[in-house]
């Protein structure tokens, strides 16, 4: 396939470029700056995707079969909430519209933050556990709201252009050998723990790559959203006991067992044949080379 990957020098984006180029696909990577290194089967352009003309020219000239949109500001706290919202919405709008005009299907990185729990001013419990893709979405912050609007833009693009868009909702993305979960686990004390709106969930970047590939290979009809989380929390503690200790309560409807993730990935398993393959227990100390073109 001919694939455009946005956010090509970022965390998840660089791993996506590396994987598809290594598999022999013709990849065009777009980001604000070009990487210093090269990759066989991949070329790179410096593009500001918040500028419509740049985004459209770069994508349409490549005439892609698919677009993987991983660009944007990845969380609250990087810049102001306003800038986070505007950047993420503008880039999504321009990329989706260009993909639609090219007749290219889209897979993009949305977020579990659109449920609102992750960056809420006052932490709150979900309506039920485990959380599935149908759970109500109540973001209060610029990042979560940008992902909520992004999914509405995805649905708009499907209606207008007839392509498919898969919105992948990962939790906290971790990188083999560089997990940040160990420090949080070691510091966790159920007697004093603050509520965590991601409910101590995470996902290995390699599992993000694999669900993107599964979504591109699947026959996604219209716009669909899929969770991408590891099978268990990263604390090594029973999930319901941990949530109850930190929040002081549990939803009345709670069907979690053991260390099971607070987010269900059943839909991705059913529709895409995808399951997470990596756990913090092995990945925290795994020696895995990242995308070489970033290090050159």
């Amino acid at each position: 396939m001919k694939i455009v990957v946005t956010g090509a020098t970022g965390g998840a984006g660089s791993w996506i470029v590396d994987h598809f180029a290594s598999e022999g696909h013709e990849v065009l990577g777009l980001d604000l700056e070009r990487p210093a290194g090269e990759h066989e089967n991949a070329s790179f352009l410096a593009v500001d995707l918040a500028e419509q003309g740049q985004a459209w020219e770069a994508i349409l000239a490549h005439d892609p079969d698919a677009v993987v949109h991983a660009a944007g500001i990845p969380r609250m706290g990087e810049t102001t909430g306003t800038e986070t919202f505007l950047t993420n919405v503008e880039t999504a709008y321009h990329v989706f519209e260009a993909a639609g005009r090219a007749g290219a299907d889209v897979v993009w990185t949305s977020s579990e933050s659109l449920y609102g729990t992750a960056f809420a001013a006052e932490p709150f419990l979900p309506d039920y556990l485990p959380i599935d893709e149908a759970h109500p979405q109540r973001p209060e912050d610029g990042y979560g709201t940008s992902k909520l609007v992004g999914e509405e833009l995805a649905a708009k693009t499907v209606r207008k252009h007839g392509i498919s868009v898969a919105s992948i909702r990962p939790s906290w993305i971790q990188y083999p050998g560089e997990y940040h979960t160990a420090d949080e686990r070691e510091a966790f004390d159920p007697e004093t723990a603050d509520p965590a709106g991601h409910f101590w969930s995470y996902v290995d970047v390699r599992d993000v790559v694999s669900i993107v590939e599964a979504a591109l290979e699947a026959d996604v009809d219209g716009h669909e959203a899929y969770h991408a989380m590891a099978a268990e929390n990263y604390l090594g503690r029973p999930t319901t006991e941990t949530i109850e200790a930190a929040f002081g309560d549990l939803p009345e409807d709670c069907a979690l067992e053991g260390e099971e993730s607070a987010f269900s990935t059943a839909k991705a398993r059913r529709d895409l044949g995808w399951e997470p393959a990596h756990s913090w227990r092995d990945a925290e100390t795994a020696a895995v080379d990242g995308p070489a073109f970033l290090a050159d």
Side-chain angles (χ1 to χ4, degrees):
M1 289 192 296
K2 296 175 67 177
I3 304 174
V4 169
V5 179
T6 72
T9 64
S14 61
W15 284 75
I16 292 167
V17 169
D18 185 66
H19 173 77
F20 284 105
S22 297
E23 291 291 309
H25 299 284
E26 183 181 337
V27 179
L28 173 64
L30 307 179
D31 215 320
L32 289 171
E33 296 182 0
R34 296 182 72 255
E38 302 292 335
H39 195 309
E40 185 178 4
N41 300 321
S43 58
F44 300 92
L45 285 177
V47 176
D48 183 355
L49 296 170
E51 296 292 334
Q52 182 194 52
Q54 293 186 43
W56 284 24
E57 181 179 350
I59 293 171
L60 292 172
H62 192 64
D63 190 25
D65 302 301
V67 173
V68 180
H69 179 46
I73 297 173
R75 65 186 66 84
M76 288 296 292
E78 298 280 320
T79 182
T80 64
T82 301
E83 184 67 18
T84 299
F85 175 81
L86 292 175
T87 298
N88 289 352
V89 170
E90 286 178 339
T91 57
Y93 187 92
H94 297 153
V95 170
F96 293 171
E97 182 64 20
R101 289 169 181 260
D105 291 332
V106 176
V107 179
W108 80 292
T109 49
S110 182
S111 173
E112 37 81 274
S113 296
L114 54 67
Y115 298 114
T117 57
F119 298 111
E122 294 292 334
F124 62 91
L125 288 168
D127 291 2
Y128 52 84
L129 288 167
I131 302 164
D132 61 16
E133 291 84 351
H135 189 282
Q137 299 156 8
R138 308 182 182 105
E140 303 171 359
D141 60 282
Y143 178 72
T145 306
S146 76
K147 296 302 183 178
L148 178 60
V149 173
E151 293 201 12
E152 287 298 318
L153 294 176
K156 181 273 293 184
T157 305
V158 168
R159 291 191 296 270
K160 181 177 180 181
H161 295 289
I163 63 170
S164 70
V165 182
S167 295
I168 307 302
R169 298 176 183 171
S171 193
W172 190 20
I173 299 177
Q174 302 295 310
Y175 301 85
E178 301 177 10
Y179 271 48
H180 296 289
T181 52
D183 292 340
E184 292 211 7
R185 184 170 57 257
E186 292 169 4
F188 183 85
D189 182 347
E191 298 297 324
T192 60
D194 291 326
H198 64 343
F199 309 107
W200 301 276
S201 65
Y202 73 101
V203 64
D204 191 285
V205 69
R206 294 167 292 180
D207 286 328
V208 175
V209 172
S210 69
I211 195 172
V212 168
E213 184 171 43
L216 286 178
E217 293 177 348
D219 185 19
V220 175
D221 184 15
H223 172 239
E224 294 290 344
Y226 298 101
H227 282 165
M229 289 83 177
E232 73 292 298
N233 69 61
Y234 60 76
L235 295 178
R237 297 172 177 269
T239 306
T240 53
E241 293 179 17
T242 301
I243 293 174
E244 186 172 26
F247 285 83
D249 202 359
L250 287 169
E252 183 175 342
D253 184 358
C254 181
L256 294 175
E257 297 182 359
E259 299 173 17
E260 181 183 0
S261 173
F263 294 88
S264 170
T265 57
K267 182 180 178 182
R269 182 170 60 252
R270 182 190 70 235
D271 291 2
L272 307 179
W274 176 87
E275 292 188 72
H278 300 283
S279 168
W280 64 266
R281 289 182 166 86
D282 300 315
E284 279 186 353
T285 57
V288 179
D289 292 333
F293 68 89
L294 292 183
D296 290 348

